């Protein structure tokens, strides 16, 4: 049985998931948005940042998200930014399907990540990701525009938001342009931690 299609992101209290310019990734605002994840044991292990780190529910959630993911899909903007920032052993350790207009051979990285470049649409990228994932889930990794395309196409089953206590004021809003006439949500879980609030919803057609 095929797995579920989901996304999982950190979001500011005013609804932003990234700065507008990719040049500002890793800047102060973005670091504050993501600061809950940096001390976690699993995050540190996955990026080979050394031993140690915090355990607890935040760490469990990050580990569970990684373990359920059999393949990922992302947009070209996210890939271009990540190509500059990810370590040589990129942190996915699964096949990743990049939605792009570019033709490019697969790019294999150490540690099990291979990037495949798909230039015939989001449905094709998802079909390939499903096949690669087997009975595990497919994660729509981002960025915001790619997530929104999948939401508006009715292709998302579930999503989780780590609601971070920071304000952006501007940037990329997660749900800017969502088809509210089509998309309805069902709450699954709201789970606070000392740093963020984890919110999970299933998605259904209205």
């Amino acid at each position: 049985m095929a797995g579920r299609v989901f996304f999982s992101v950190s979001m500011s209290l005013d609804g932003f998931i990234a700065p507008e310019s990719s040049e500002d990734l890793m800047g102060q605002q973005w670091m504050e948005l993501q600061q809950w994840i940096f001390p976690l044991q699993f995050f540190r292990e996955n990026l080979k940042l050394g031993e140690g780190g915090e355990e607890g529910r935040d760490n469990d959630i990050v580990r569970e998200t990684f373990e359920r993911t059999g393949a990922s899909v992302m947009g070209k903007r996210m890939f271009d930014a990540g190509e500059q920032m990810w370590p040589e052993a990129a942190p996915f350790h699964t096949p990743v399907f990049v939605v792009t207009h570019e033709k490019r051979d697969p790019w294999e990285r150490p540690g099990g990540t291979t990037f495949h470049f798909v230039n015939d649409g989001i449905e094709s990228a998802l079909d390939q990701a499903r096949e690669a994932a087997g009975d595990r889930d497919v994660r729509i990794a981002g960025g915001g525009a790619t997530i929104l395309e999948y939401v508006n196409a009715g292709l998302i089953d579930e999503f989780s938001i780590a609601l971070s206590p920071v304000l952006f004021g501007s940037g990329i809003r997660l749900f800017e342009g969502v088809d509210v006439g089509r998309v309805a949500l069902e709450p699954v879980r709201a789970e606070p931690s000392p740093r963020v609030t984890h919110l999970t919803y299933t998605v259904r057609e209205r």
Side-chain angles (χ1 to χ4, degrees), residues 10-17 33 161-169 173 195-197 199:
S10 298
M11 186 177 78
S12 70
L13 284 175
D14 52 347
F16 297 96
I17 61 170
L33 177 69
I161 293 171
L163 191 62
S164 189
V166 297
L167 299 171
F168 264 41
R173 284 190 184 275
R195 288 196 177 93
V196 293
T197 300
L199 305 172

Side-chain angles (χ1 to χ4, degrees), residues 9-199:
V9 296
S10 298
M11 186 177 78
S12 70
L13 284 175
D14 52 347
F16 297 96
I17 61 170
E20 188 68 45
S21 170
S22 58
E23 295 176 359
D24 293 328
L25 285 174
M26 302 299 288
Q28 181 179 352
Q29 271 192 320
W30 189 87
M31 295 291 284
E32 289 176 354
L33 177 69
Q34 304 290 352
Q35 65 183 348
W36 69 276
I37 201 171
F38 296 135
L40 302 181
Q41 182 187 62
F42 183 78
F43 180 83
R44 291 179 57 79
E45 288 175 356
N46 195 31
L47 269 71
K48 301 188 184 304
L49 299 176
E51 297 181 357
E54 296 181 6
E55 300 185 39
R57 187 59 186 137
D58 285 339
N59 190 62
D60 291 344
I61 287 172
V62 173
R63 185 185 298 276
E64 289 162 5
T65 300
F66 177 85
E67 289 176 348
R68 70 183 284 194
T69 302
S72 295
V73 176
M74 69 178 59
K76 184 64 162 50
R77 182 178 187 270
M78 180 177 179
F79 172 79
D80 286 344
E83 189 176 15
Q84 306 302 317
M85 296 187 299
W86 292 319
E88 184 180 11
F92 302 95
H93 310 298
T94 64
V96 179
F97 296 84
V98 181
V99 180
T100 179
H101 297 295
E102 176 185 6
K103 289 188 177 181
R104 178 172 169 178
D105 291 334
W107 187 40
E108 186 174 349
R109 309 303 294 148
T113 302
T114 299
F115 294 95
H116 303 268
F117 301 89
V118 182
N119 60 10
D120 55 349
I122 63 171
E123 291 87 354
S124 175
L126 181 57
D127 287 345
Q128 293 178 58
R130 283 187 187 276
E131 183 174 356
D135 59 359
R136 295 166 73 192
D137 296 337
V138 173
R139 181 178 184 179
I140 310 301
T146 300
I147 288 171
L148 188 67
E149 280 191 85
Y150 278 97
V151 171
N152 285 343
L155 297 173
I156 297 292
D157 299 312
E158 177 188 303
F159 66 87
S160 295
I161 293 171
L163 191 62
S164 189
V166 297
L167 299 171
F168 264 41
S170 64
I172 297 174
R173 284 190 184 275
L174 177 58
F175 293 114
E176 187 74 40
V178 69
D179 186 352
V180 296
R182 178 175 185 179
V183 177
L185 307 178
E186 295 285 349
V188 174
R189 184 171 61 250
E191 192 170 352
S193 81
R195 288 196 177 93
V196 293
T197 300
H198 299 280
L199 305 172

